[in-house]
Amino acid sequence: AQSVTQLGSHVSVSEGALVLLRCNYSSSVPPYLFWYVQYPNQGLQLLLKYTSAATLVKGINGFEAEFKKSETSFHLTKPSAHMSDAAEYFCAVSVARGYNKLIFGAGTRLAVHP
Amino acid sequence: DGGITQSPKYLFRKEGQNVTLSCEQNLNHDAMYWYRQDPGQGLRLIYYSQIVNDFQKGDIAEGYSVSREKKESFPLTVTSAQKNPTAFYLCASRPSGARDEQFFGPGTRLTVL
């Protein structure tokens, strides 16, 4: 069965510092992987997705993620944090059979301080 | 503009009352989903529908009901049987194709008093 683990429910970085949000997945079939961002009291917005093409995926707002099959990981990074990056981030894996359900991680709340 | 709308944004109900949350999309997407979000638990799937007049239970369907009479609409009813209905509810849709991401609405925050 598919599952997603996000290491660290809260991450705090300084403005301008590297952002690293960790995501590990478990999947019995080649996965499709997604990162979403959620600002307070809003819906989820797609940051980027991996669908078996390039392993390094670039998304919006300067974020990128690398799919590493050997490590079953899909960590999200951004070279330099901005105050506006403060939000909750969710990693998700797609169940690519049947009704295409997404399995979400528990989320990581990113705080950015001056 | 194409998108997903959910109404209302905030909803208050007394315990024991049924309440219906609206979800409408004009993206011409086939599949629609309802999620429940609680702090620290991520999103949990309540119901999903791939086509009109068809829907399936998700992981936490007890106490909820849905209908899919039109492609654009997928309302969720929270019944009095739902033990702890206070939560943030998110609706999503997706076009055909397993690689496609889900698009989310802005959510409805339901508080049961």
Side-chain angles (χ1 to χ4, degrees), chain A residues 4-6 9 21-23 33-39 42-48 74 76 87-93 102-110, chain B residues 36-44 88 90 104:
Chain A
V4 174
T5 301
Q6 291 185 240
S9 59
L21 304 182
R22 299 178 187 274
C23 173
L33 295 159
F34 306 84
W35 274 101
Y36 285 88
V37 61
Q38 184 182 34
Y39 298 98
Q42 295 187 24
L44 274 67
Q45 179 184 5
L46 182 73
L47 278 176
L48 48 81
F74 190 55
L76 182 71
E88 188 152 23
Y89 292 80
F90 292 94
C91 182
V93 61
L102 287 182
I103 307 299
F104 285 87
T108 297
R109 185 167 299 278
L110 175 66
Chain B
R36 169 181 172 139
Q37 186 177 22
D38 296 283
Q41 296 191 43
L43 279 68
R44 293 183 290 169
F88 191 53
L90 287 160
F104 284 81

Side-chain angles (χ1 to χ4, degrees), chain B residues 46-79:
Chain B
I46 304 173
Y47 267 98
Y48 57 100
S49 167
Q50 194 178 34
I51 56 174
V52 174
N53 293 320
D54 178 71
F55 48 82
Q56 303 292 327
K57 291 182 178 180
D59 301 316
I60 56 165
E62 185 176 354
Y64 300 97
S65 65
V66 293
S67 62
R68 187 86 186 275
E69 297 177 0
K70 298 186 299 182
K71 188 176 185 178
E72 305 79 27
S73 178
F74 191 41
L76 173 75
T77 296
V78 184
T79 74

